[in-house]
Amino acid sequence: MAMGGMTTDVSTLPLRYGLFPIKPDLIIASFGYNDMTILSQQYKNPFLFALKETAQYSYLLNSTQKLIRAAYAQCNKGMTHLPSVMLVDDSFMIDDKTARGNLMHSRMISEVSQWYDLWSVSWTNAFLHMSYADEKLMSVNATFWPLWGGPNQQAHPHILYHIGIAWMIFYQFAQAAVHGCSSTSNSVPLFPEPNLQNIPPLTFSTRYQDLPMAWKTATAQWSERCDLHDEILKNTSITTEHNSTSNVASSTALCPYAWIANRATNIQTREDVRQVVDSVMIENKGWNEEGNPVKKPRPGWVTYMPGAKFKIRAPVAQRFTLIYMKSYGAKWQDSKLQIKFSLCRPNPLYPRRQICEKNVMQDELAGFHAQNISVNYEASWILPGVNENHTHADIHFQLIGGNTFRINGMLFCRV
């Protein structure tokens, strides 16, 4: 998922639902900057300030655990090996309002990596002191990195951040290789077996005496999800692997329709996006595919027209998840998308017709945020009243504010 704007939550989805063409052997999680950007948009009300850090830490702790659980794929009991997971402490907050975020993110990475016996590295410890010494090295508006075409296209910290993280991770792998080659046969493994006990999810009301029960409840909920996963696998003939030679949206045991625009999920060009959307499209006015595998714009389903709308008809499932982008600047101002859901079933009197329960749910999403960075967000809905009689869902999308919106993934999943 190594593409701009990704977060821990969004990158957990392809692991959870099996959207990677090939199961990974190594997962490097480095989402600190984008995760902290999302959190900075929340709890702006001064009356909630005292709760802000508790809420942010709880979010970081719980979302990172979800990614680890998905990476270990405990529901796939027949796996011959588990992937190695590396957590990177890469939070980049150097102004007086957000510097405490560094400490919060570093604490979370340290606690989770120790709890699960994971490999973790800290860019913050290795490089952040350099930015304190000379902030020009890390300026988000710096003009001296020509690879991105000058200051008008460069909106991210550069040489000590992106490249610094890459240098640091490479160094750790080189050190591990040297250690492995020079070790004796009875040495400690480089990648210890993960500790799969769950740290309890934390909330504002969590008390010390409640932790044992919260711990048991979290583990029980995961076990129930795995049991449901196994039951679905037993009663379906659908493959659980994304066809790596096809760019059609995945049909897995858990998700009858799912795609995320990303090189890692094999949806990496505008043609790929067009193909996965066309497979369920029934109406469209003003939305188009765009994007490239590497250079901007990245692949996605977008509109630049006020009032643009489209409608899809997809195999029904209980949970619908939308991956969408929030960005900044004049063209994103006031951006707002309306979504309406309808559930359909066959008409017993006229088999070729459908009976649809219209507008069983609706919601709105904003595409603008007051941060000079573009980040992918996840929105998820549980459709009410879904049962075995429903064959598909109709979903209406319409831009009701602004003139720009970008969708980077849609998933209809059973759990």
Side-chain angles (χ1 to χ4, degrees):
M1 305 297 290
M3 185 177 286
M6 287 297 167
T7 63
T8 298
D9 279 343
V10 172
S11 298
T12 296
L13 295 173
L15 286 168
R16 177 178 179 180
Y17 293 120
L19 302 186
F20 288 126
I22 300 174
K23 289 185 178 179
D25 294 311
L26 174 66
I27 296 169
I28 302 172
S30 178
F31 301 107
Y33 188 81
N34 288 346
D35 285 346
M36 297 304 292
T37 296
I38 290 179
L39 290 177
S40 68
Q41 296 297 300
Q42 301 174 1
Y43 307 102
K44 291 185 175 181
N45 187 320
F47 295 103
L48 297 178
F49 183 80
L51 300 177
K52 179 178 179 180
E53 290 194 359
T54 300
Q56 290 183 344
Y57 186 77
S58 300
Y59 168 81
L60 291 172
L61 183 68
N62 297 334
S63 63
T64 301
Q65 285 195 90
K66 290 177 182 178
L67 184 142
I68 294 169
R69 286 280 182 164
Y72 288 153
Q74 291 187 83
C75 296
N76 298 329
K77 298 181 175 63
M79 288 185 66
T80 57
H81 72 283
L82 297 174
S84 296
V85 177
M86 173 188 284
L87 299 182
V88 179
D89 177 14
D90 61 344
S91 56
F92 166 56
M93 306 288 167
I94 60 174
D95 60 64
D96 57 350
K97 295 180 180 179
T98 58
R100 288 177 63 88
N102 282 332
L103 300 178
M104 183 192 310
H105 188 264
S106 297
R107 172 189 166 199
M108 183 277 296
I109 292 292
S110 176
E111 290 189 0
V112 172
S113 60
Q114 290 182 59
W115 189 280
Y116 286 93
D117 292 331
L118 299 179
W119 196 3
S120 64
V121 296
S122 177
W123 170 88
T124 306
N125 287 344
F127 287 98
L128 193 60
H129 66 283
M130 298 183 186
S131 70
Y132 290 135
D134 185 356
E135 63 181 17
K136 292 181 180 179
L137 291 175
M138 295 294 295
S139 171
V140 297
N141 296 314
T143 61
F144 56 86
W145 198 17
L147 294 178
W148 294 98
N152 293 331
Q153 296 184 37
Q154 170 58 24
H156 296 79
H158 40 82
I159 190 164
L160 279 185
Y161 190 64
H162 293 121
I163 296 178
I165 290 174
W167 283 343
M168 181 187 65
I169 292 174
F170 173 78
Y171 175 80
Q172 294 296 326
F173 279 113
Q175 284 286 90
V178 171
H179 173 78
C181 292
S182 61
S183 299
T184 60
S185 59
N186 60 355
S187 62
V188 177
L190 294 178
F191 302 101
E193 286 296 316
N195 173 10
L196 297 178
Q197 296 294 329
N198 216 23
I199 305 176
L202 304 178
T203 66
F204 295 146
S205 60
T206 299
R207 299 175 301 171
Y208 177 79
Q209 57 265 39
D210 294 332
L211 288 177
M213 183 55 67
W215 192 344
K216 293 177 183 178
T217 300
T219 301
Q221 289 174 345
W222 187 270
S223 178
E224 290 175 4
R225 177 181 172 271
C226 288
D227 290 342
L228 178 58
H229 175 277
D230 293 341
E231 186 66 24
I232 292 172
L233 287 179
K234 186 167 41 177
N235 295 318
T236 184
S237 59
I238 300 176
T239 178
T240 61
E241 292 289 339
H242 184 152
N243 181 354
S244 61
T245 62
S246 172
N247 294 321
V248 177
S250 296
S251 292
T252 71
L254 295 179
C255 304
Y257 176 77
W259 64 273
I260 298 177
N262 195 280
R263 287 175 306 211
T265 58
N266 216 30
I267 307 297
Q268 54 184 327
T269 67
R270 59 188 305 154
E271 291 79 13
D272 297 339
V273 174
R274 168 59 70 177
Q275 191 171 359
V276 296
V277 175
D278 274 354
S279 66
V280 293
M281 182 75 70
I282 55 178
E283 296 177 12
N284 182 26
K285 180 182 179 181
W287 287 76
N288 294 285
E289 75 284 359
E290 72 172 22
N292 305 288
V294 178
K295 69 177 183 179
K296 297 179 181 179
R298 301 282 169 68
W301 182 244
V302 300
T303 185
Y304 301 105
M305 186 182 82
K309 57 185 177 181
F310 72 99
K311 177 180 176 182
I312 65 171
R313 176 166 292 171
V316 72
Q318 186 178 22
R319 181 189 297 271
F320 179 74
T321 300
L322 192 74
I323 310 301
Y324 68 104
M325 178 171 284
K326 284 190 178 184
S327 195
Y328 59 99
K331 76 174 184 179
W332 291 87
Q333 194 71 41
D334 300 322
S335 171
K336 184 174 289 187
L337 182 72
Q338 183 185 71
I339 307 170
K340 295 182 179 181
F341 300 88
S342 300
L343 296 175
C344 300
R345 53 187 171 82
N347 188 325
L349 299 179
Y350 304 96
R352 294 186 178 181
R353 298 181 181 179
Q354 299 283 323
I355 299 175
C356 292
E357 306 162 35
K358 295 186 177 181
N359 299 337
V360 298
M361 180 184 291
Q362 72 176 55
D363 206 348
E364 296 176 0
L365 299 173
F368 174 84
H369 64 181
Q371 293 278 342
N372 291 341
I373 185 173
S374 299
V375 179
N376 283 288
Y377 284 67
E378 169 199 357
S380 188
W381 300 268
I382 302 295
L383 301 188
V386 174
N387 58 53
E388 64 276 5
N389 294 322
H390 293 117
T391 57
H392 65 270
D394 287 354
I395 310 179
H396 304 250
F397 302 83
Q398 182 168 3
L399 193 64
I400 60 172
N403 56 21
T404 302
F405 205 91
R406 167 178 282 268
I407 293 173
N408 288 331
M410 299 186 221
L411 301 90
F412 241 130
C413 299
R414 297 184 173 94
V415 293

